[in-house]
Amino acid sequence: MKRIAIFASGSGTNAEKIAGYLTAYPDIEVTLILSNNPKAGIIDRARKGFGPDQKLHVPVLVFDRATFYESNRIVELLQKQEVDLVVLAGFMWLIPEALVKAFPQRMINIHPALLPNYGGKGMYGHFVHEAVVAAGESQTGITIHYVNERYDEGNIIFQASCELSPQDTPEDVARKVQVLEHQYYPEIVVKVLNRMDDEQ
């Protein structure tokens, strides 16, 4: 059995899509969802259940900044649960070095633009889409990458793009990018797990 932990700070649509997608893979399970935001939508989604029949209920751990940055509790918990892959799905905090080192090339993130453009500290969510529109870009997309100690600088695993029109607002861009996120992120999670198997 392969075990996944998902970190999320917001509404949790990507986490929900991943968890639902994985119900078709009996050898992969989401064992834990972790959030730094006690008001995050992902908490309610997890409570209601994931998957086509909403029967998949995943435990949620909410943690604070001190726990994340000043203790080893998160790393120890993930190791105790024998987590194979850590998936960031709209998680806003920089990952501490201890956690990166505990899961080398076993932690992935999705960014709502075509890195290396529009990445780095402060570039998330609507800030990315506003920058893309302001620059007059004709396309944008998603980047799925491994996580290191710096924002959005890990090795790229996968990218997909979508066309933009001059009339597109940041909200229009967000909708187009979210379609790509929901389509590809669950698939890439499975492919990364399979690749890890091949490398063992």
Side-chain angles (χ1 to χ4, degrees), residues 94-141:
L94 185 67
I95 303 300
E97 184 177 354
L99 184 51
V100 173
K101 287 186 174 180
F103 292 88
Q105 299 294 90
R106 294 196 294 136
M107 186 183 313
I108 64 175
N109 180 51
I110 189 165
H111 185 75
L114 298 171
L115 293 174
N117 297 324
Y118 307 106
K121 186 177 182 179
M123 293 301 286
Y124 60 88
H126 67 95
F127 295 111
V128 175
H129 307 315
E130 288 169 358
V132 166
V133 170
E137 297 284 4
S138 61
Q139 68 173 8
T140 188

Side-chain angles (χ1 to χ4, degrees), residues 76-94:
E76 291 171 354
L77 175 62
L78 296 176
Q79 291 175 333
K80 182 178 180 180
Q81 295 206 358
E82 299 182 333
V83 167
D84 297 287
L85 182 68
V86 175
V87 177
L88 309 186
F91 184 71
M92 297 303 151
W93 287 358
L94 185 67

Side-chain angles (χ1 to χ4, degrees), residues 8-198:
S9 297
S11 66
T13 60
N14 274 316
E16 181 173 37
K17 290 293 182 182
I18 291 167
Y21 183 84
L22 293 179
T23 59
Y25 293 83
D27 59 334
I28 304 173
E29 67 174 352
V30 180
T31 61
L32 184 64
I33 291 173
L34 304 99
S35 183
N36 60 319
N37 179 6
K39 298 181 179 178
I42 183 59
I43 297 171
D44 192 47
R45 289 179 190 272
R47 188 178 297 121
K48 290 179 179 177
F50 298 115
D53 54 9
Q54 293 193 307
K55 290 182 179 178
L56 176 63
H57 295 274
V58 181
V60 178
L61 173 69
V62 179
F63 56 86
D64 59 18
R65 185 171 289 274
T67 300
F68 197 54
Y69 288 110
E70 299 170 20
S71 80
N72 213 35
R73 286 171 57 193
I74 300 297
V75 172
E76 291 171 354
L77 175 62
L78 296 176
Q79 291 175 333
K80 182 178 180 180
Q81 295 206 358
E82 299 182 333
V83 167
D84 297 287
L85 182 68
V86 175
V87 177
L88 309 186
F91 184 71
M92 297 303 151
W93 287 358
L94 185 67
I95 303 300
E97 184 177 354
L99 184 51
V100 173
K101 287 186 174 180
F103 292 88
Q105 299 294 90
R106 294 196 294 136
M107 186 183 313
I108 64 175
N109 180 51
I110 189 165
H111 185 75
L114 298 171
L115 293 174
N117 297 324
Y118 307 106
K121 186 177 182 179
M123 293 301 286
Y124 60 88
H126 67 95
F127 295 111
V128 175
H129 307 315
E130 288 169 358
V132 166
V133 170
E137 297 284 4
S138 61
Q139 68 173 8
T140 188
I142 60 168
T143 302
I144 300 169
H145 63 92
Y146 289 109
V147 176
N148 63 16
E149 296 92 341
R150 294 173 297 279
Y151 282 115
D152 306 322
E153 292 186 18
N155 292 335
I156 292 173
I157 301 167
F158 174 85
Q159 291 183 306
S161 62
C162 57
E163 299 300 317
L164 302 178
S165 74
Q167 293 76 36
D168 281 340
T169 65
E171 292 73 24
D172 295 326
V173 176
R175 283 190 288 270
K176 290 182 178 183
V177 168
Q178 189 176 65
V179 169
L180 296 177
E181 292 175 345
H182 292 174
Q183 178 180 354
Y184 290 109
Y185 205 11
E187 295 178 6
I188 297 302
V189 167
V190 173
K191 288 182 179 179
V192 169
L193 281 169
N194 289 339
R195 186 183 304 170
M196 287 165 51
D197 273 345
D198 293 340

